[in-house]
Amino acid sequence: HKQEQHKKHSIAIMEAMVTQVEASFFNMGLTGQQEDQLLAIMTQSVSEALRHFEEGLEMDDNISRIIDSLGTVSMNAKGL
């Protein structure tokens, strides 16, 4: 649950960044093509960052399961 909240917050931060950059385009005097190119770069990077974050969460879950399994094995071995 905490991981899901963290993910949602990360998404909100990145979306706010994209919105701020889009708002600054007018002041920069960029052409439409330049704006589109920057947005494409940002969108791709945000997607990659979120995918990377997801993979990290999956690894954390796997490590937690391994640790739990080792604890169970250890407790069972002590009972022998």
Side-chain angles (χ1 to χ4, degrees):
H1 182 69
K2 188 174 181 179
Q3 291 174 339
E4 190 65 29
Q5 288 177 333
H6 185 76
K7 178 184 172 186
K8 287 179 182 179
H9 188 238
S10 295
I11 291 170
I13 290 169
M14 299 215 188
E15 287 176 345
M17 177 195 61
V18 170
T19 300
Q20 290 173 346
V21 171
E22 284 180 313
S24 70
F25 284 166
F26 180 76
N27 295 331
M28 292 180 194
L30 300 176
T31 66
Q33 184 179 5
Q34 290 170 323
E35 290 178 5
D36 291 344
Q37 187 174 8
L38 281 175
L39 283 175
I41 291 168
M42 289 179 54
T43 300
Q44 180 182 354
S45 295
V46 166
S47 294
E48 287 178 29
L50 291 174
R51 191 169 35 255
H52 182 72
F53 179 74
E54 282 280 329
E55 290 169 0
L57 291 178
E58 289 176 18
M59 288 174 38
D60 287 349
D61 288 343
N62 289 338
I63 291 170
S64 291
R65 281 195 294 278
I66 290 169
I67 290 170
D68 289 344
S69 295
L70 289 174
T72 301
V73 168
S74 176
M75 292 301 287
N76 289 341
K78 287 180 182 178
L80 294 178

